[in-house]
Amino acid sequence: MKLYATLLTLALGWGGAVGLTHAAEPIIIKFSHVVANDTPKGKASLYFAKLAAEKTHGRVKVEVYPNSTLYKDKEELEALQMGAVQMLAPSLAKFRPLGVKEFEAFDLPFIFDDYAELHRVTQGPIGQSLLTKLEAKGVKGLGYWDNGFKSFSANSPLRGVADYKGLKMRIQSSKVLDAQMRALVAIPQVMAFSEVYQALQTGVVDGTENPISNLYTQKMHEVQKHLSLTNHGYLGYAVITNKKFWDELPADVRGQLDAAMKEATVYANKIAKQENDDALEMVRKSGKTQIYSLTAAERLALKRALFSVHKEFAPKIDEALIQLIYKETNFDPAKL
Ligand code: LMR
């Protein structure tokens, strides 16, 4: 009986190895992120999963885990470096633990006025050279996915700079965002994205900043009486993978996944603005929060108040890089 079982196991094993009894198991890519499926990043990761299955003819299965179901903000990067997940798309504000400080440039308030200026950086040589810097950390950057421009929300109206004074504001873990809130005499509080709704609801913090797609899909507008359309900073992502995992993929599969990522990136960056516009419309329709559009003078006052953050951080991040970005985006401090 035992001999029979052993022979059977050997036969099945041999058959399996040459693909006689069943097809080879697919390569699993766990793609973890912290936002809802119904956001630019959520949709783009699902689209990538679909393209990856198609282009590799089922040899790769991308499993998307949204809404921090696997990991919260801080844990994600560690999980990637340890190989527990294979793909992430953290916001650029969250790259500091990887030891590549240059990504902090993206957090500087008002550094990009619109998506066109931003794309000259992310989709050009500057963006590429930043991704390359990740490789020494065992991380491979595959592309930049947009979300959009952040707006401030709180339970009190946010018009002039003085309105931020003393408010406890949730931020992502970023020294630049910390300085941004302090420049407004607000009190920054670092918190994982998955905890923000409850913190707003219970009054642990008074307000926050995020693109409207994040605000709406986390229902933050239900616990924030005021939303001010400041568009004062960019929030977007770099899709990253574990470099060793990526380099060890069969070359043909890697090529197919590269092609899938290129298409998914075009898709992500095409839908992001519309997703945010639609979310704003839904927030408006909900009637739960009052939406305020700044006057040009109010926006300029905010920009001026926040320029101190550039002065403080340009030398810490990389002065030459910041100047290069200013050139690409026509950001002119002399005009402030
Ligand atoms: C946040 O923590 O506010 C964002 O980084 C969430 C995200 O991934 O868009």
Side-chain angles (χ1 to χ4, degrees):
M1 192 62 196
K2 214 170 156 196
L3 179 67
Y4 175 73
T6 309
L7 286 175
L8 186 69
T9 310
L10 282 175
L12 284 176
W14 179 81
V18 296
L20 288 182
T21 53
H22 53 78
E25 291 294 315
I27 300 165
I28 303 289
I29 292 184
K30 290 189 179 167
F31 190 145
S32 166
H33 68 80
V34 301
V35 295
N37 277 330
D38 204 15
T39 56
K41 176 163 65 178
K43 287 189 174 175
S45 51
L46 291 171
Y47 189 58
F48 171 69
K50 176 177 170 290
L51 291 174
E54 280 168 18
K55 288 190 194 291
T56 64
H57 311 286
R59 283 171 76 192
V60 171
K61 184 165 187 281
V62 178
E63 297 174 352
V64 178
Y65 296 90
N67 265 324
S68 313
T69 37
L70 279 190
Y71 300 103
K72 290 187 192 176
D73 302 18
K74 265 204 301 213
E75 308 153 353
E76 274 193 340
L77 288 172
E78 263 171 46
L80 185 86
Q81 286 181 302
M82 279 165 29
V85 290
Q86 290 70 37
M87 247 184 219
L88 305 173
S91 84
L92 301 172
K94 293 177 183 165
F95 276 62
R96 187 68 198 240
L98 288 175
V100 185
K101 63 183 185 330
E102 286 85 345
F103 282 93
E104 290 184 342
F106 291 98
D107 290 344
L108 289 172
F110 290 103
I111 193 161
F112 307 107
D113 259 340
D114 54 38
Y115 286 98
E117 286 186 1
L118 166 81
H119 290 162
R120 287 208 287 278
V121 174
T122 51
Q123 311 301 322
I126 300 177
Q128 192 48 52
S129 83
L130 294 186
L131 290 184
T132 308
K133 283 183 195 287
L134 295 170
E135 297 197 6
K137 315 289 174 184
V139 170
K140 170 131 186 99
L142 299 174
Y144 291 93
W145 286 0
D146 288 339
N147 188 336
F149 294 88
K150 294 177 288 184
S151 282
F152 288 118
S153 62
N155 281 320
S156 46
L158 300 170
R159 296 179 180 193
V161 172
D163 294 336
Y164 294 82
K165 190 173 171 190
L167 295 182
K168 280 180 278 166
M169 300 290 280
R170 180 268 171 176
I171 54 165
Q172 305 176 76
S173 178
S174 150
K175 293 262 178 291
V176 177
L177 299 179
D178 182 278
Q180 170 196 273
M181 293 304 187
R182 289 185 193 282
L184 296 172
V185 203
I187 305 155
Q189 303 240 334
V190 172
M191 190 178 288
F193 184 67
S194 58
E195 289 159 13
V196 181
Y197 174 85
Q198 208 186 354
L200 291 171
Q201 190 186 35
T202 55
V204 168
V205 288
D206 302 305
T208 187
E209 58 167 10
N210 238 299
I212 314 297
S213 60
N214 277 351
L215 175 102
Y216 176 68
T217 53
Q218 298 297 319
K219 302 190 189 335
M220 293 181 205
H221 63 293
E222 295 183 1
V223 286
Q224 293 279 263
K225 292 198 179 77
H226 295 270
L227 169 64
S228 192
L229 302 178
T230 47
N231 292 320
H232 61 276
Y234 173 70
L235 191 154
Y237 315 103
V239 187
I240 53 176
T241 183
N242 181 305
K243 184 169 177 334
K244 184 167 180 295
F245 165 79
W246 192 254
D247 290 344
E248 286 174 358
L249 286 172
D252 57 338
V253 168
R254 201 169 45 241
Q256 289 156 341
L257 291 178
D258 260 329
M261 183 52 65
K262 276 206 179 70
E263 268 184 54
T265 298
V266 169
Y267 170 80
N269 298 343
K270 204 170 101 186
I271 64 165
K273 182 172 183 309
Q274 192 62 48
E275 289 291 316
N276 278 294
D277 289 350
D278 291 351
L280 179 60
E281 211 32 53
M282 297 305 282
V283 172
R284 212 183 285 282
K285 273 195 191 139
S286 79
K288 297 220 154 98
T289 187
Q290 223 168 313
I291 301 173
Y292 182 69
S293 297
L294 297 189
T295 63
E298 283 166 339
R299 192 157 191 274
L300 185 62
L302 198 57
K303 196 167 176 175
R304 281 193 178 131
L306 292 176
F307 185 62
S308 61
V309 182
H310 287 233
K311 285 199 259 184
E312 183 186 344
F313 276 88
K316 291 185 188 165
I317 299 171
D318 178 344
E319 187 73 60
L321 169 71
I322 303 300
Q323 292 304 326
L324 274 177
I325 297 178
Y326 283 175
K327 238 174 103 190
E328 286 294 342
T329 64
N330 304 319
F331 183 98
D332 186 356
K335 283 201 188 134
L336 287 178

